[in-house]
Each structure stands twice: as C-alpha cells, then as structure tokens.
Amino acid sequence: APLQAKLDELAALLLAQQAQPAAEPTQQRKLVSLLFMDIAGSTAIAQHMDPEDVREVFDVALKRLAQPVEAHGGHVTRFMGDGFLAVFGAPTAREDDPEQAIRAGLAIIKTANELAPELKNEWHITDFQVRVGINTGLVALGGLTEARDTLMGAAVNLAARLESAAPPGGLLISHATYRHVRGLFDVEPQQPVTAKGFDQPVPVYRVLRLKPRAFRTHTRGVEGVETPMSGREGELKTLQGALLAAIEDGEGQLVTITGDAGVGKSRLLYEFQDWVELLPPPPVRFFESRGRQEAQGLPYGLLRGMFEFRFQIQDDDPAEVARQKLVDGLMAVFGSDQEGELRAHILGQLLGFDFSLSPHLKGVLGDPEQLRNRGRSYLREFFESISSQAPVLVFLEDIHWADDSSLDTFSWLAERLSRLRMLVVCAARPTLFERRPYWGEGLAYHRRVDLEPLSRRESRQLVTEIFRLADHLPDELRDLVVEGAEGNPFYLEELVKMLVEDGVIVKGGEAWQVHPERLAQVEVPPTLAGVLQA
C-alpha cells in the first residue's frame, strides 16, 4: 500500500509536468561559415538508373564526400538527396573556420574525382562531379519549429546560391569568406551573383588551390581600414631585442608569447616580421609552422610543417614529389654525397615522410629510439650549419595544439640553442601550460611574454582608428564597441563587422555613416557570446 501510494504520487507529478507548456527553444545568432555541396547533373544520372540503385549510389557517395567536413572541424547539418549543408563554427567557433571550410571544399572536390572511376566501373556513370559554395556570415541557430541544427538567415541563402552558381568541379566563395582567407588560396574573381536577401549583386571568387606556403601571416581586421598595432609596443621591443641578441651576440633565444584567442598574438608576429624585413644584410632565414587541433595526434606534425613551409611542400604533392623536395632541401645543407643522403633520409623518416625503402634505414626502422636519437642529432646539425651562414628565425604558432613529440624535440633543441644565431618564437594560448607546466623553465635565454587584454584607453584608440573614415563617431558607438570587446582586439573587430552586417554602420565611398536609430536597438552579449565563441 505505501508503494502504491508513492507510485500514484509520482504519476500525478508526471501528468502535471506533461500538462505544462514546453520551454521555448532558444535562438542564437552566430558567425559561421556555411558549405553547400551537390552532385552536378544528378537528374541526368538518375534518369537511366533504377530508383533503388540511385539511392544506393548517392548514399555511398554522400557518405564519402562528407568525410572531409568532419576532418576539418565542421559537421553536416542536413543531407538533401544529392547534396548536403555543413557548418563550421557551431556549436564551437574557431579562428580559422573560414579557412577550414575552404580546405574541406577542396578536399570534397578531390574526393569526387577519386570516386568518379569507381562509379564508372561499377555503375557506368560517365561524368561524376560536384559543386561547392561557401559563405561566412551571421545566422540564427535553432528556433521554435525545428532542431538546434536549424540555420536561418540571408547568409544561408547566399551559400546555397553560390553552390548553384559554381561550375561542375568548382568551388565558389563569397566576399565575406574571402576577407578571412585573403592570401591563403589562389582565387579568380567571378561575375557577381544575385541572392535572396541582398539588394546588390555579391562579389564572388572561385578557389583554385591552396597557395604555396608563404611566410606572411594573413591578418584579421575590418575591410578597407589598415589599423596600427595598439598596446603591444613593449612586447614588440622584446622580440626585436631577442633577435638582435641572436644575430649580434650569437646567443640563441626562445620566446613564448601567450594570450587568449584573439588577443593579438598573430598581429604581434606580423608587425615583428615587417620590422625584420627592413633589417640590413645578412638576410634572415625563415621557418614557420602552426599547430592544428585536428593534427594533435600526428607525431612530429609541427616539426614536419616547418620543413614543408621551408621547402615549399604542398598538401596535394604526390608522396614521391614531397620526398624529393625534402631531400633536395636537406642535402643542400648536409652535402650531395652518400652521407648527406643518409642524413636526409633518416631525418625525413622521423618527420613522417616514408623513406622505408631507403637502404640507409636498414637497422633503424625497427628501432624507434635509434631513429629518434639520430634524427634529432641531424636536426641539430642542420640548424648549426644554416645558422652559421645566416641568422635563423622560427615562428611556431598555436603550439597549445602541437603534438607531444614535436614539443619534446623543440625542448631538446632549445637546450642546445645557446651558441646558434637562432630565434625561436612560439605563440600559444595559456592552455599550453596545462599540458607543459614547465615549458621553457631553466633556460637562461627563454622569455615568456604574456599578452593581456587592451586597456580601455588602448581600446578607445583602436576604435577611433577603425572609424577614422566616419564623418562622426558617436560616443555611444565607441563605448558600445569598447565594452562589448572587453579588451580583445579580435572581438572588437568582429563587433564592428556585426554592426555593419546589421545596418547600424553603412559604408559609402570614403565615409562611414552611423544610423542612431539602429544603434539604440543593439545589445551586445558578454564577450560577444552570441556572435563568436572562440
């Protein structure tokens, strides 16, 4: 009887809960990159096939074509018969979402080309190609009628329009996406396209390929405005002094720059490189690499990227071509004899290039410890040799995502830097020190530079610079941007872009006009949580 009474009580409580109206789904506005893909000529393909066979072909193809999306940090929100929609930046945003979306798009096209011979042999499909369109903009996530993956807004319409306008085997991006990746890809301007929700035709670009690796860091910012670096003069002098110590005194240096996402690490490196390029001879030899979240488990991935940059090894180079570029670059330092080739092959194997068929690796392949020790030794010899000819500058960005084997190797190398004309600059978020609490400790030539958020005065100066084209900068607008950005330069610039998207700021000719009636309606979430989560 007591148990039955308890059951009756619980049942009454359940019925009362079910009678209450469901909580209203929340809707969130967010800056994302959208990728639409469809199979070109799908109607023609389906005309001569059994419906069940069509479904099987498309299911298999779409599953394969969606794999690059996941590999580059996005996810497919909706499959649509002969295509899909994918999003980069939701639920979690990253600083390079537009870049990763384009990399995924190029990989999708490459996957389609690989699929074509298989489909021709098995299903007699003679022309299998895809179209891809990518746009970056604000969307509304979720809502009253559909699931949390629902994406709504003009940005979605434009991405779909770009996909339909792309040629078979082609990738089109909007100008909004192009702003974020300028300098990273080879592109061709196309005829502007019209899209629902846009009053004027939208400039678009066809992406051809990833550019050969270039040293110059692509910068963020508000289009049409070149702003000076603000509040980082002392940190810049630290980097300048470290390089001069390496060049003039022959003392190797290691500098670690830390700060939250968007606080200005890349901009500081950009300004430092500009200063380096104006130095008198001898010229500095540059190396660069970047940690990637998706490659964190790839052994020696960060170290490998440094040599890929230096020797212009591209992601789409065939394995044989990549190996030859590496060997040519290393043997230019080690020498062109058998001993130089041995060093190149062993170091190349350590870096992840496949030299397993080389006779120089007999007895080493089955002994990982010997391969590591000899590879590290040749790495040290390489930098000793080139730094004796010219100063060496190494930039390692986002090392909080770097693989452990690369970090171990750089720590080992840093202990041997003292007599080399070499400066290694690492940039990382503070999470690096959760993995490596003792990073750089005990090294007399290591310096840690912590980038703090800009002060209110520095933030106001930066806002004033951004709005120097405006006839008048209302105090309300300046204060809105300063308060919303909370000292983060990247958030500050993104907030300005949001205000342009919302029509609060209208750019015309050389002047920017602010609409006070729209400005009064803007509410800025803390740290722009509704716009960007990085």
Side-chain angles (χ1 to χ4, degrees), residues 158-228:
L158 179 56
R161 178 70 180 89
L162 292 176
E163 174 265 305
S164 65
L171 165 58
L172 289 187
I173 63 172
S174 67
H175 186 68
T177 302
Y178 174 69
R179 289 187 311 173
H180 292 273
V181 300
R182 184 186 288 114
L184 295 180
F185 300 90
D186 286 327
V187 302
E188 285 182 349
Q190 305 291 299
Q191 287 293 325
V193 301
T194 56
K196 181 181 177 182
F198 294 84
D199 296 333
Q200 300 294 327
V202 179
V204 298
Y205 307 82
R206 181 175 181 179
V207 179
L208 304 177
R209 65 188 70 84
L210 186 67
K211 268 185 178 293
R213 297 175 188 273
F215 177 76
R216 178 171 289 276
T217 307
H218 65 285
T219 58
R220 299 181 298 250
V222 178
E223 185 185 7
V225 179
E226 184 72 24
T227 57

Side-chain angles (χ1 to χ4, degrees), residues 413-473:
L413 184 64
E415 296 173 359
R416 293 154 179 80
L417 280 177
S418 58
R419 297 184 180 179
L420 303 183
R421 292 192 298 167
M422 183 172 174
L423 168 62
V424 179
V425 182
C426 304
R429 297 181 189 175
T431 52
L432 169 69
F433 297 97
E434 298 174 7
R435 293 175 58 196
R436 300 272 171 157
Y438 305 110
W439 175 261
E441 285 191 9
L443 299 177
Y445 40 85
H446 173 253
R447 306 183 195 184
R448 176 173 167 176
V449 177
D450 295 316
L451 293 187
E452 301 295 336
L454 298 178
S455 67
R456 289 180 60 83
R457 178 180 58 82
E458 292 164 343
S459 296
R460 285 195 296 268
Q461 289 176 346
L462 184 54
V463 174
T464 301
E465 282 293 332
I466 292 175
F467 283 97
R468 68 175 181 268
L469 297 180
D471 293 331
H472 173 63
L473 174 60

Side-chain angles (χ1 to χ4, degrees), residues 36-41 129-133 163-171:
F36 271 92
M37 187 285 304
D38 85 334
I39 298 171
Q129 297 185 85
V130 298
R131 293 188 293 251
V132 180
E163 174 265 305
S164 65
L171 165 58

Side-chain angles (χ1 to χ4, degrees), residues 244-317:
L244 292 177
I247 295 175
E248 298 173 359
D249 304 329
E251 298 177 353
Q253 304 286 316
L254 172 65
V255 178
T256 304
I257 303 169
T258 66
D260 292 326
V263 81
K265 300 183 294 295
S266 295
R267 179 59 188 267
L268 176 59
L269 294 182
Y270 180 89
E271 295 292 337
F272 178 48
Q273 190 239 335
D274 272 353
W275 176 83
V276 170
E277 289 183 347
L278 298 177
L279 288 176
V284 173
R285 294 194 178 185
F286 291 111
F287 290 79
E288 183 186 80
S289 189
R290 180 188 299 271
R292 302 198 314 273
Q293 190 173 17
E294 65 272 15
Q296 197 166 352
L298 181 66
Y300 298 100
L302 183 70
L303 188 62
R304 173 181 174 133
M306 194 170 70
F307 285 92
E308 286 177 335
F309 159 78
R310 184 65 196 176
F311 300 140
Q312 299 288 291
I313 300 172
Q314 302 302 308
D315 293 339
D316 57 356
D317 278 342

